[in-house]
Amino acid sequence: MVLTIARATYDAIVAHARRDHPDEACGIVAGPEGSDRPERLVEMVNAAGSPTFYEFDSTELLQLYKEMWARDEEPVVVYHSHTATEAYPSRTDIGLASEPGAHYVLVSTQHCTDPSEGNNEGPVEFRSYRIVDGEVTEEEVAVVDELTPSNEE
Amino acid sequence: MAIEVRIPTILRTYTGGEKAVTGEGASLSALIDDLESSHPGLKDRLIEDGDLRRFVNVYVNDEDVRFIGGLDAELSDGDQIVVLPAVAGG
């Protein structure tokens, strides 16, 4: 198993996580149904506005899914950040994971806090998992210059 | 009276893989009971301790049902229901 993702999308997810630090950032990358190609990044607002929790706003969640259905897309990647801990799914993440076909990306910005409480450009962790029926399986992340059909498994 | 209910991927094990099912009921509560009779197990994934589960969203004609009465929300023939699990975590 591997998550193949374009450099630009990878960078945008990391930038989102850095920007929202110390609150958790969240979003998805949609792609054509069944393609396993994360093509369209959608940054979501963390309605919880919290350093320890994230949740998509329920109205925005419906808009997002209706848009994906209209485009024959599905959530290929579901991402969020951990701002004080490592990039590994928490018990809450595992319990609430509801897209068995998605790559769950965790970005850790735990080393991005200045002593003065500002954000810095410290190193981030970017890891990907499958979460199915409460079981977590880490997978490789392959960052490519551009997604092409030849990147498909 | 037929009400269409869109079922999320994770709950399609209860609907034989169907993306949408139909049921009937004058309220959301009655509709869920009706769905349970044809798709056993579904109700428990939507309701806990007599209320909608915290991390399951139900929409009636694009409105989050929590804002229009929750399980008591009144339904009419032709209403469109969407069930979506929350995207949330810690």
Side-chain angles (χ1 to χ4, degrees):
Chain A
M1 288 193 306
V2 57
L3 165 64
T4 302
I5 189 167
R7 168 71 58 191
T9 310
Y10 177 101
D11 288 347
I13 290 173
V14 169
H16 184 199
R18 287 188 187 280
R19 195 165 67 241
D20 283 8
H21 181 88
D23 283 345
E24 293 193 8
C26 56
I28 66 142
V29 190
E33 265 178 42
S35 71
D36 201 30
R37 293 164 57 84
E39 293 184 351
R40 189 170 68 88
L41 175 72
V42 186
E43 293 185 5
M44 299 296 287
V45 171
N46 178 1
S50 161
T52 57
F53 196 73
Y54 81 96
E55 182 170 13
F56 292 7
D57 172 78
S58 76
T59 303
E60 292 178 6
L61 175 73
L62 178 65
Q63 285 167 355
L64 171 69
Y65 272 78
K66 288 179 74 170
E67 193 177 276
M68 287 193 288
W69 294 333
R71 292 164 168 258
D72 291 324
E73 289 177 337
E74 62 187 358
V76 178
V77 169
V78 178
Y79 73 89
H80 77 284
S81 61
H82 282 173
T83 60
T85 56
E86 65 174 341
Y88 190 85
S90 65
R91 281 175 61 184
T92 315
D93 293 335
I94 298 165
L96 294 178
S98 53
E99 288 291 355
H103 303 267
Y104 280 88
V105 164
L106 270 290
V107 177
S108 172
T109 55
Q110 63 175 328
H111 301 300
C112 300
T113 303
D114 274 340
S116 58
E117 294 300 309
N119 293 1
N120 66 24
E121 291 297 301
V124 299
E125 254 189 307
F126 186 111
R127 295 164 69 178
S128 183
Y129 307 85
R130 296 290 186 159
I131 307 177
V132 181
D133 292 334
E135 193 173 320
V136 178
T137 311
E138 184 161 12
E139 60 186 1
E140 186 190 331
V141 177
V143 182
V144 296
D145 288 339
E146 271 183 59
L147 286 181
T148 64
S150 62
N151 294 130
E152 289 181 23
E153 288 288 298
Chain B
M1 173 146 158
I3 296 168
E4 191 186 63
V5 184
R6 175 123 194 171
I7 303 292
T9 311
I10 190 126
L11 297 183
R12 288 179 198 157
T13 49
Y14 300 97
T15 62
E18 291 296 321
K19 286 185 178 180
V21 297
T22 54
E24 50 189 63
S27 67
L28 180 59
S29 180
L31 172 70
I32 291 174
D33 283 338
D34 182 57
L35 292 177
E36 175 70 13
S37 65
S38 39
H39 310 287
L42 197 54
K43 181 177 179 177
D44 184 55
R45 298 296 300 269
L46 305 177
I47 291 179
E48 184 177 44
D49 298 331
D51 209 345
L52 271 183
R53 285 182 176 271
R54 162 73 177 84
F55 292 107
V56 173
N57 296 308
V58 178
Y59 306 87
V60 178
N61 302 330
D62 295 351
E63 279 232 62
D64 186 333
V65 78
R66 288 190 180 83
F67 303 131
I68 54 171
L71 287 173
D72 296 328
E74 290 179 15
L75 303 182
S76 312
D77 199 14
D79 279 350
Q80 299 275 330
I81 313 279
V82 173
V83 177
L84 279 180
V87 180

